[in-house]
Amino acid sequence: MTPTTETMVGIGGAAESTDMVLNIGPQHPSTHGVLRLKLVLDGERIVHAEPVIGYMHRGAEKLFEARDYRQIVMLANRHDWLSAFSNELGVVLAVERMLGMEVPERAVWLRTLLAELNRVLNHLMFLGSYPLELGGITPIFYAFTEREKLQHVMEEVSGGRMHYMFNRVGGLKEDLPAGWTGRARAAVADVRAHMDRFDDLVLGNEIFRGRTRGVGALSAEAVHAYGVSGPIGRASGVDFDLRRDEPYLAYGELGDVLKVVTREEGDCLARFECLLEQTHNSLDLADACLDRLAQLPPGPVNQRLPKVLKAPEGHTYAWTENPLGINGYYLVSKGEKTPYRLKLRSASYNNIQALTELLPGTLVADMVAILGSMFFVVGDIDK
């Protein structure tokens, strides 16, 4: 009898207990830039998620060590390209703390105003792009229309559209152009008048609510465990905002205007609601700063600095409530004109870690909704 041979040709993906590994990115429209997500799937359900970062790493922290205290502002400016003014701010606050330097009052209020305008610009981008990822194209056009009004006044005062380079150690680059505060007030009023487009068009849309309510819920315990901050942390009930809890700039005098927006649900919808309501509040804060600036007498907006600026030997830590969360700057000086070490704690880097907790157990179809609601900038992760 002729012996027979059994050959198993293959069983495809239909076998039970067969997991599939799916790579999303690093070049993929659903990943907000050069981010890679390594997903292990059981059918349509995600069982394991690993964010793989570093594709945009530029070594900014190492470059800080080879630039003087004026030049490092340019490097810090760029990691979160939607929050350039706020990025600059943390660096100069750290250096000023090392120097024991007080900045003029007008500079304090101007910095606060520009930081809040920058916050609105940041949030408008996500308020428009998030619905786009869920199939709604109209909000992105409205978002860019409103952003352009604020971009115009930011460009007029600083000369830059994205990388403002307006902060300096000791204050600001220069004083305001004539009549600028009036144009800024008009831009703020115009943006506020059109914010109902996001309240009604997006939050009032039943498809948007169906795709986001109860999806990607992040617990308060996970927020603390992963160091999540900003609107994402507050959407999970963690009531923490540096502007109120450890005031810097002029925020200590804006307690009656500043509103810390929180939600308890921690899902995609709660994160969007926090971002939207915080945008409304930032417009109110900008108006309050403009009111105070109108009351201040004319005066300088910066301190005179020596030709070669050296920070004394020692170390300090400064942190700010950036639009996407807490940014921290640990500065070590050996008494030279360049930092010995400047460690950057960026909001997006910590926030994105929570994806390892958020994505397992969810459907692939909900992955884009969850990822988009984390409101991160890839440059801010990789720095």
Tab-separated table of all heavy atoms in Angstrom, residues 304-360:
chain	number	residue	atom	x	y	z
A	304	ARG	N	16.875	95.137	31.111
A	304	ARG	CA	18.149	95.206	30.405
A	304	ARG	C	19.042	94.055	30.872
A	304	ARG	O	19.187	93.818	32.068
A	304	ARG	CB	18.834	96.545	30.665
A	304	ARG	CG	18.128	97.723	30.015
A	304	ARG	CD	18.925	99.001	30.200
A	304	ARG	NE	20.192	98.945	29.505
A	304	ARG	CZ	20.370	99.258	28.224
A	304	ARG	NH1	19.329	99.630	27.493
A	304	ARG	NH2	21.559	99.209	27.668
A	305	LEU	N	19.621	93.347	29.915
A	305	LEU	CA	20.442	92.184	30.237
A	305	LEU	C	21.897	92.445	29.853
A	305	LEU	O	22.175	93.234	28.940
A	305	LEU	CB	19.932	90.956	29.472
A	305	LEU	CG	18.509	90.497	29.765
A	305	LEU	CD1	18.146	89.328	28.853
A	305	LEU	CD2	18.353	90.098	31.220
A	306	PRO	N	22.828	91.780	30.533
A	306	PRO	CA	24.235	91.897	30.126
A	306	PRO	C	24.453	91.254	28.760
A	306	PRO	O	23.652	90.439	28.297
A	306	PRO	CB	24.976	91.128	31.225
A	306	PRO	CG	23.970	90.198	31.796
A	306	PRO	CD	22.654	90.908	31.709
A	307	LYS	N	25.565	91.640	28.134
A	307	LYS	CA	25.862	91.109	26.801
A	307	LYS	C	26.004	89.591	26.832
A	307	LYS	O	25.545	88.882	25.931
A	307	LYS	CB	27.134	91.758	26.268
A	307	LYS	CG	27.419	91.427	24.811
A	307	LYS	CD	28.586	92.225	24.275
A	307	LYS	CE	28.828	91.904	22.799
A	307	LYS	NZ	29.974	92.684	22.266
A	308	VAL	N	26.642	89.081	27.868
A	308	VAL	CA	26.756	87.632	28.066
A	308	VAL	C	25.948	87.270	29.311
A	308	VAL	O	26.281	87.696	30.414
A	308	VAL	CB	28.223	87.189	28.236
A	308	VAL	CG1	28.288	85.701	28.498
A	308	VAL	CG2	29.039	87.556	27.000
A	309	LEU	N	24.874	86.506	29.100
A	309	LEU	CA	23.974	86.155	30.203
A	309	LEU	C	24.385	84.800	30.785
A	309	LEU	O	24.425	83.787	30.068
A	309	LEU	CB	22.530	86.093	29.691
A	309	LEU	CG	21.461	85.739	30.705
A	309	LEU	CD1	21.367	86.800	31.799
A	309	LEU	CD2	20.109	85.540	30.030
A	310	LYS	N	24.710	84.783	32.075
A	310	LYS	CA	25.067	83.545	32.753
A	310	LYS	C	24.150	83.354	33.957
A	310	LYS	O	23.939	84.291	34.727
A	310	LYS	CB	26.524	83.579	33.216
A	310	LYS	CG	27.538	83.615	32.087
A	310	LYS	CD	28.957	83.576	32.635
A	310	LYS	CE	29.980	83.581	31.502
A	310	LYS	NZ	31.366	83.524	32.029
A	311	ALA	N	23.602	82.144	34.094
A	311	ALA	CA	22.800	81.825	35.273
A	311	ALA	C	23.727	81.336	36.381
A	311	ALA	O	24.711	80.646	36.103
A	311	ALA	CB	21.766	80.757	34.940
A	312	PRO	N	23.452	81.673	37.633
A	312	PRO	CA	24.311	81.210	38.729
A	312	PRO	C	24.253	79.695	38.879
A	312	PRO	O	23.314	79.040	38.417
A	312	PRO	CB	23.735	81.909	39.960
A	312	PRO	CG	22.323	82.220	39.593
A	312	PRO	CD	22.328	82.484	38.115
A	313	GLU	N	25.254	79.135	39.512
A	313	GLU	CA	25.306	77.691	39.694
A	313	GLU	C	24.160	77.236	40.585
A	313	GLU	O	23.846	77.864	41.597
A	313	GLU	CB	26.647	77.284	40.324
A	313	GLU	CG	26.880	75.799	40.339
A	313	GLU	CD	28.309	75.447	40.699
A	313	GLU	OE1	29.170	76.347	40.684
A	313	GLU	OE2	28.556	74.262	40.995
A	314	GLY	N	23.519	76.153	40.203
A	314	GLY	CA	22.391	75.629	40.974
A	314	GLY	C	21.393	74.941	40.061
A	314	GLY	O	21.693	74.636	38.907
A	315	HIS	N	20.207	74.703	40.595
A	315	HIS	CA	19.172	74.069	39.779
A	315	HIS	C	17.810	74.580	40.222
A	315	HIS	O	17.635	75.035	41.361
A	315	HIS	CB	19.234	72.541	39.890
A	315	HIS	CG	19.070	72.021	41.290
A	315	HIS	ND1	17.852	71.639	41.801
A	315	HIS	CD2	19.970	71.839	42.285
A	315	HIS	CE1	18.009	71.240	43.051
A	315	HIS	NE2	19.288	71.345	43.369
A	316	THR	N	16.844	74.510	39.322
A	316	THR	CA	15.484	74.948	39.627
A	316	THR	C	14.507	74.197	38.735
A	316	THR	O	14.908	73.570	37.751
A	316	THR	CB	15.332	76.475	39.418
A	316	THR	OG1	14.080	76.914	39.961
A	316	THR	CG2	15.361	76.842	37.937
A	317	TYR	N	13.237	74.268	39.103
A	317	TYR	CA	12.182	73.631	38.312
A	317	TYR	C	11.042	74.622	38.135
A	317	TYR	O	10.585	75.230	39.104
A	317	TYR	CB	11.668	72.372	39.018
A	317	TYR	CG	10.650	71.587	38.218
A	317	TYR	CD1	11.055	70.770	37.169
A	317	TYR	CD2	9.293	71.652	38.507
A	317	TYR	CE1	10.136	70.035	36.432
A	317	TYR	CE2	8.364	70.926	37.778
A	317	TYR	CZ	8.795	70.109	36.742
A	317	TYR	OH	7.882	69.399	36.005
A	318	ALA	N	10.622	74.804	36.897
A	318	ALA	CA	9.469	75.658	36.607
A	318	ALA	C	8.465	74.830	35.820
A	318	ALA	O	8.843	74.004	34.984
A	318	ALA	CB	9.898	76.887	35.802
A	319	TRP	N	7.186	75.035	36.099
A	319	TRP	CA	6.168	74.324	35.327
A	319	TRP	C	5.023	75.269	34.994
A	319	TRP	O	4.761	76.248	35.696
A	319	TRP	CB	5.686	73.056	36.023
A	319	TRP	CG	5.157	73.170	37.432
A	319	TRP	CD1	5.227	74.247	38.274
A	319	TRP	CD2	4.482	72.145	38.159
A	319	TRP	NE1	4.643	73.950	39.469
A	319	TRP	CE2	4.180	72.684	39.437
A	319	TRP	CE3	4.106	70.840	37.875
A	319	TRP	CZ2	3.509	71.948	40.413
A	319	TRP	CZ3	3.442	70.113	38.848
A	319	TRP	CH2	3.157	70.664	40.109
A	320	THR	N	4.390	74.986	33.887
A	320	THR	CA	3.306	75.829	33.397
A	320	THR	C	2.136	74.959	32.952
A	320	THR	O	2.323	73.785	32.610
A	320	THR	CB	3.764	76.685	32.196
A	320	THR	OG1	4.212	75.815	31.141
A	320	THR	CG2	4.891	77.633	32.584
A	321	GLU	N	0.962	75.545	32.965
A	321	GLU	CA	-0.251	74.872	32.466
A	321	GLU	C	-0.353	75.168	30.973
A	321	GLU	O	-0.985	76.137	30.557
A	321	GLU	CB	-1.483	75.370	33.219
A	321	GLU	CG	-2.752	74.615	32.881
A	321	GLU	CD	-2.780	73.180	33.402
A	321	GLU	OE1	-2.313	72.939	34.539
A	321	GLU	OE2	-3.263	72.298	32.667
A	322	ASN	N	0.313	74.356	30.170
A	322	ASN	CA	0.257	74.514	28.720
A	322	ASN	C	-1.124	74.102	28.203
A	322	ASN	O	-1.877	73.421	28.904
A	322	ASN	CB	1.346	73.669	28.063
A	322	ASN	CG	2.592	74.473	27.763
A	322	ASN	OD1	3.015	75.286	28.590
A	322	ASN	ND2	3.167	74.262	26.603
A	323	PRO	N	-1.455	74.474	26.981
A	323	PRO	CA	-2.776	74.090	26.448
A	323	PRO	C	-3.063	72.596	26.528
A	323	PRO	O	-4.201	72.196	26.769
A	323	PRO	CB	-2.701	74.576	24.997
A	323	PRO	CG	-1.795	75.757	25.048
A	323	PRO	CD	-0.759	75.410	26.081
A	324	LEU	N	-2.055	71.737	26.329
A	324	LEU	CA	-2.287	70.295	26.329
A	324	LEU	C	-2.049	69.655	27.685
A	324	LEU	O	-2.253	68.452	27.845
A	324	LEU	CB	-1.395	69.625	25.273
A	324	LEU	CG	-1.652	70.053	23.828
A	324	LEU	CD1	-0.711	69.311	22.890
A	324	LEU	CD2	-3.098	69.807	23.414
A	325	GLY	N	-1.598	70.410	28.663
A	325	GLY	CA	-1.341	69.857	29.993
A	325	GLY	C	-0.117	70.502	30.623
A	325	GLY	O	0.324	71.568	30.205
A	326	ILE	N	0.441	69.832	31.617
A	326	ILE	CA	1.553	70.405	32.378
A	326	ILE	C	2.870	70.206	31.632
A	326	ILE	O	3.220	69.095	31.249
A	326	ILE	CB	1.648	69.757	33.774
A	326	ILE	CG1	0.424	70.143	34.605
A	326	ILE	CG2	2.929	70.176	34.485
A	326	ILE	CD1	0.340	69.419	35.925
A	327	ASN	N	3.589	71.310	31.437
A	327	ASN	CA	4.960	71.266	30.932
A	327	ASN	C	5.903	71.626	32.071
A	327	ASN	O	5.669	72.613	32.778
A	327	ASN	CB	5.156	72.245	29.778
A	327	ASN	CG	4.876	71.627	28.427
A	327	ASN	OD1	4.093	70.688	28.321
A	327	ASN	ND2	5.515	72.143	27.399
A	328	GLY	N	6.956	70.849	32.248
A	328	GLY	CA	7.917	71.111	33.307
A	328	GLY	C	9.313	71.307	32.746
A	328	GLY	O	9.692	70.683	31.741
A	329	TYR	N	10.100	72.165	33.383
A	329	TYR	CA	11.446	72.488	32.916
A	329	TYR	C	12.399	72.408	34.108
A	329	TYR	O	12.330	73.249	35.017
A	329	TYR	CB	11.479	73.892	32.305
A	329	TYR	CG	10.481	74.089	31.191
A	329	TYR	CD1	9.145	74.421	31.462
A	329	TYR	CD2	10.843	73.927	29.858
A	329	TYR	CE1	8.222	74.587	30.450
A	329	TYR	CE2	9.930	74.093	28.834
A	329	TYR	CZ	8.625	74.422	29.136
A	329	TYR	OH	7.711	74.584	28.119
A	330	TYR	N	13.258	71.395	34.109
A	330	TYR	CA	14.250	71.237	35.171
A	330	TYR	C	15.589	71.747	34.648
A	330	TYR	O	16.189	71.154	33.750
A	330	TYR	CB	14.359	69.775	35.595
A	330	TYR	CG	15.392	69.529	36.665
A	330	TYR	CD1	15.308	70.162	37.901
A	330	TYR	CD2	16.460	68.666	36.439
A	330	TYR	CE1	16.254	69.939	38.887
A	330	TYR	CE2	17.412	68.429	37.420
A	330	TYR	CZ	17.297	69.087	38.644
A	330	TYR	OH	18.242	68.870	39.614
A	331	LEU	N	16.025	72.870	35.200
A	331	LEU	CA	17.223	73.547	34.712
A	331	LEU	C	18.365	73.389	35.708
A	331	LEU	O	18.205	73.676	36.901
A	331	LEU	CB	16.916	75.045	34.499
A	331	LEU	CG	18.087	75.957	34.139
A	331	LEU	CD1	18.705	75.560	32.803
A	331	LEU	CD2	17.620	77.419	34.100
A	332	VAL	N	19.510	72.901	35.212
A	332	VAL	CA	20.727	72.780	36.026
A	332	VAL	C	21.789	73.677	35.403
A	332	VAL	O	22.036	73.616	34.189
A	332	VAL	CB	21.241	71.324	36.072
A	332	VAL	CG1	22.484	71.232	36.947
A	332	VAL	CG2	20.154	70.392	36.577
A	333	SER	N	22.405	74.525	36.222
A	333	SER	CA	23.424	75.446	35.733
A	333	SER	C	24.735	75.234	36.473
A	333	SER	O	24.746	74.979	37.680
A	333	SER	CB	22.959	76.900	35.922
A	333	SER	OG	24.011	77.807	35.663
A	334	LYS	N	25.842	75.343	35.731
A	334	LYS	CA	27.176	75.315	36.325
A	334	LYS	C	27.803	76.712	36.306
A	334	LYS	O	29.022	76.859	36.420
A	334	LYS	CB	28.065	74.333	35.559
A	334	LYS	CG	27.693	72.860	35.763
A	334	LYS	CD	27.967	72.411	37.196
A	334	LYS	CE	27.689	70.921	37.383
A	334	LYS	NZ	28.715	70.057	36.823
A	335	GLY	N	26.948	77.736	36.153
A	335	GLY	CA	27.445	79.103	36.137
A	335	GLY	C	27.957	79.564	34.788
A	335	GLY	O	28.591	80.621	34.688
A	336	GLU	N	27.656	78.790	33.729
A	336	GLU	CA	28.108	79.157	32.389
A	336	GLU	C	26.989	79.859	31.624
A	336	GLU	O	25.881	80.024	32.122
A	336	GLU	CB	28.553	77.898	31.635
A	336	GLU	CG	29.659	77.107	32.317
A	336	GLU	CD	30.946	77.906	32.397
A	336	GLU	OE1	31.185	78.764	31.520
A	336	GLU	OE2	31.722	77.672	33.346
A	337	LYS	N	27.295	80.238	30.376
A	337	LYS	CA	26.289	80.925	29.561
A	337	LYS	C	25.343	79.933	28.878
A	337	LYS	O	24.374	80.343	28.234
A	337	LYS	CB	26.957	81.815	28.524
A	337	LYS	CG	27.775	81.085	27.477
A	337	LYS	CD	28.361	82.069	26.474
A	337	LYS	CE	29.136	81.342	25.385
A	337	LYS	NZ	29.695	82.282	24.391
A	338	THR	N	25.616	78.639	29.004
A	338	THR	CA	24.726	77.603	28.476
A	338	THR	C	24.245	76.728	29.629
A	338	THR	O	24.948	76.582	30.632
A	338	THR	CB	25.461	76.716	27.449
A	338	THR	OG1	26.567	76.075	28.094
A	338	THR	CG2	25.961	77.529	26.265
A	339	PRO	N	23.055	76.139	29.519
A	339	PRO	CA	22.592	75.236	30.585
A	339	PRO	C	23.464	73.988	30.647
A	339	PRO	O	23.894	73.477	29.607
A	339	PRO	CB	21.165	74.876	30.162
A	339	PRO	CG	20.807	75.815	29.061
A	339	PRO	CD	22.070	76.262	28.429
A	340	TYR	N	23.735	73.499	31.849
A	340	TYR	CA	24.402	72.204	31.984
A	340	TYR	C	23.420	71.092	31.625
A	340	TYR	O	23.784	70.094	31.014
A	340	TYR	CB	24.914	72.031	33.415
A	340	TYR	CG	25.533	70.678	33.662
A	340	TYR	CD1	26.805	70.374	33.174
A	340	TYR	CD2	24.847	69.689	34.381
A	340	TYR	CE1	27.379	69.125	33.383
A	340	TYR	CE2	25.410	68.446	34.597
A	340	TYR	CZ	26.678	68.169	34.097
A	340	TYR	OH	27.239	66.930	34.306
A	341	ARG	N	22.141	71.301	31.994
A	341	ARG	CA	21.087	70.326	31.680
A	341	ARG	C	19.759	71.059	31.720
A	341	ARG	O	19.514	71.876	32.612
A	341	ARG	CB	21.089	69.195	32.713
A	341	ARG	CG	20.038	68.113	32.458
A	341	ARG	CD	20.516	67.144	31.395
A	341	ARG	NE	19.666	65.963	31.318
A	341	ARG	CZ	18.624	65.850	30.484
A	341	ARG	NH1	18.292	66.845	29.676
A	341	ARG	NH2	17.911	64.736	30.461
A	342	LEU	N	18.910	70.797	30.742
A	342	LEU	CA	17.540	71.312	30.754
A	342	LEU	C	16.619	70.174	30.362
A	342	LEU	O	16.532	69.801	29.195
A	342	LEU	CB	17.379	72.501	29.802
A	342	LEU	CG	15.981	73.124	29.729
A	342	LEU	CD1	15.483	73.511	31.121
A	342	LEU	CD2	15.953	74.345	28.828
A	343	LYS	N	15.980	69.580	31.355
A	343	LYS	CA	15.082	68.438	31.127
A	343	LYS	C	13.672	68.948	30.906
A	343	LYS	O	13.154	69.741	31.699
A	343	LYS	CB	15.112	67.506	32.345
A	343	LYS	CG	14.124	66.348	32.262
A	343	LYS	CD	14.552	65.341	31.208
A	343	LYS	CE	13.611	64.134	31.173
A	343	LYS	NZ	12.319	64.446	30.536
A	344	LEU	N	13.067	68.507	29.831
A	344	LEU	CA	11.725	68.953	29.469
A	344	LEU	C	10.713	67.855	29.756
A	344	LEU	O	10.859	66.723	29.278
A	344	LEU	CB	11.695	69.331	27.984
A	344	LEU	CG	10.339	69.598	27.353
A	344	LEU	CD1	9.641	70.774	28.041
A	344	LEU	CD2	10.479	69.867	25.865
A	345	ARG	N	9.704	68.182	30.535
A	345	ARG	CA	8.577	67.274	30.773
A	345	ARG	C	7.410	67.797	29.943
A	345	ARG	O	6.813	68.821	30.255
A	345	ARG	CB	8.214	67.285	32.265
A	345	ARG	CG	7.147	66.254	32.663
A	345	ARG	CD	5.774	66.847	32.747
A	345	ARG	NE	4.865	65.937	33.436
A	345	ARG	CZ	3.603	65.732	33.102
A	345	ARG	NH1	3.063	66.395	32.086
A	345	ARG	NH2	2.851	64.894	33.780
A	346	SER	N	7.123	67.130	28.839
A	346	SER	CA	6.079	67.632	27.941
A	346	SER	C	4.755	66.918	28.191
A	346	SER	O	4.727	65.731	28.513
A	346	SER	CB	6.509	67.464	26.476
A	346	SER	OG	6.734	66.113	26.167
A	347	ALA	N	3.658	67.653	28.030
A	347	ALA	CA	2.327	67.124	28.339
A	347	ALA	C	1.968	65.926	27.460
A	347	ALA	O	1.478	64.909	27.948
A	347	ALA	CB	1.288	68.233	28.178
A	348	SER	N	2.216	66.028	26.151
A	348	SER	CA	1.815	64.962	25.231
A	348	SER	C	2.528	63.654	25.534
A	348	SER	O	1.960	62.573	25.373
A	348	SER	CB	2.099	65.374	23.786
A	348	SER	OG	1.347	66.517	23.418
A	349	TYR	N	3.788	63.735	25.967
A	349	TYR	CA	4.569	62.520	26.244
A	349	TYR	C	3.896	61.693	27.338
A	349	TYR	O	3.775	60.470	27.228
A	349	TYR	CB	5.989	62.919	26.660
A	349	TYR	CG	6.898	61.747	26.948
A	349	TYR	CD1	7.531	61.065	25.912
A	349	TYR	CD2	7.122	61.314	28.249
A	349	TYR	CE1	8.370	59.981	26.172
A	349	TYR	CE2	7.957	60.241	28.518
A	349	TYR	CZ	8.579	59.585	27.479
A	349	TYR	OH	9.396	58.524	27.738
A	350	ASN	N	3.474	62.359	28.413
A	350	ASN	CA	2.804	61.636	29.490
A	350	ASN	C	1.404	61.196	29.097
A	350	ASN	O	0.977	60.081	29.415
A	350	ASN	CB	2.741	62.504	30.748
A	350	ASN	CG	4.053	62.515	31.493
A	350	ASN	OD1	5.034	63.086	31.030
A	350	ASN	ND2	4.104	61.862	32.642
A	351	ASN	N	0.676	62.079	28.422
A	351	ASN	CA	-0.721	61.776	28.089
A	351	ASN	C	-0.842	60.552	27.187
A	351	ASN	O	-1.761	59.750	27.330
A	351	ASN	CB	-1.377	62.983	27.425
A	351	ASN	CG	-1.579	64.140	28.392
A	351	ASN	OD1	-1.319	64.024	29.590
A	351	ASN	ND2	-2.040	65.264	27.880
A	352	ILE	N	0.097	60.401	26.239
A	352	ILE	CA	-0.030	59.334	25.250
A	352	ILE	C	0.204	57.957	25.874
A	352	ILE	O	-0.235	56.927	25.342
A	352	ILE	CB	0.950	59.589	24.077
A	352	ILE	CG1	0.486	58.871	22.803
A	352	ILE	CG2	2.355	59.146	24.422
A	352	ILE	CD1	-0.778	59.424	22.234
A	353	GLN	N	0.886	57.924	27.030
A	353	GLN	CA	1.111	56.636	27.695
A	353	GLN	C	-0.195	55.949	28.068
A	353	GLN	O	-0.269	54.724	28.127
A	353	GLN	CB	1.917	56.845	28.985
A	353	GLN	CG	3.327	57.352	28.780
A	353	GLN	CD	4.021	57.559	30.106
A	353	GLN	OE1	4.778	56.712	30.543
A	353	GLN	NE2	3.760	58.674	30.752
A	354	ALA	N	-1.223	56.761	28.332
A	354	ALA	CA	-2.499	56.195	28.775
A	354	ALA	C	-3.169	55.350	27.699
A	354	ALA	O	-4.115	54.613	27.997
A	354	ALA	CB	-3.440	57.311	29.215
A	355	LEU	N	-2.702	55.428	26.446
A	355	LEU	CA	-3.291	54.599	25.393
A	355	LEU	C	-3.124	53.116	25.686
A	355	LEU	O	-3.956	52.306	25.274
A	355	LEU	CB	-2.646	54.930	24.038
A	355	LEU	CG	-3.055	56.257	23.404
A	355	LEU	CD1	-2.234	56.530	22.152
A	355	LEU	CD2	-4.547	56.263	23.074
A	356	THR	N	-2.055	52.747	26.384
A	356	THR	CA	-1.869	51.332	26.719
A	356	THR	C	-2.963	50.833	27.650
A	356	THR	O	-3.225	49.632	27.720
A	356	THR	CB	-0.496	51.116	27.383
A	356	THR	OG1	-0.415	51.924	28.560
A	356	THR	CG2	0.635	51.490	26.440
A	357	GLU	N	-3.602	51.759	28.369
A	357	GLU	CA	-4.704	51.395	29.260
A	357	GLU	C	-6.049	51.595	28.592
A	357	GLU	O	-6.999	50.858	28.827
A	357	GLU	CB	-4.625	52.253	30.529
A	357	GLU	CG	-5.734	52.012	31.516
A	357	GLU	CD	-5.213	51.538	32.854
A	357	GLU	OE1	-4.014	51.258	32.967
A	357	GLU	OE2	-6.018	51.446	33.779
A	358	LEU	N	-6.131	52.619	27.719
A	358	LEU	CA	-7.409	52.981	27.109
A	358	LEU	C	-7.839	52.035	25.998
A	358	LEU	O	-9.013	51.682	25.896
A	358	LEU	CB	-7.310	54.398	26.524
A	358	LEU	CG	-7.700	55.577	27.396
A	358	LEU	CD1	-7.552	56.867	26.609
A	358	LEU	CD2	-9.147	55.434	27.861
A	359	LEU	N	-6.908	51.638	25.131
A	359	LEU	CA	-7.289	50.917	23.918
A	359	LEU	C	-7.645	49.443	24.124
A	359	LEU	O	-8.568	48.952	23.472
A	359	LEU	CB	-6.172	51.045	22.876
A	359	LEU	CG	-6.012	52.446	22.273
A	359	LEU	CD1	-4.829	52.489	21.315
A	359	LEU	CD2	-7.281	52.883	21.553
A	360	PRO	N	-6.955	48.676	24.989
A	360	PRO	CA	-7.340	47.272	25.155
A	360	PRO	C	-8.795	47.110	25.581
A	360	PRO	O	-9.283	47.797	26.478
A	360	PRO	CB	-6.379	46.775	26.253
A	360	PRO	CG	-5.176	47.641	26.110
A	360	PRO	CD	-5.719	48.995	25.745
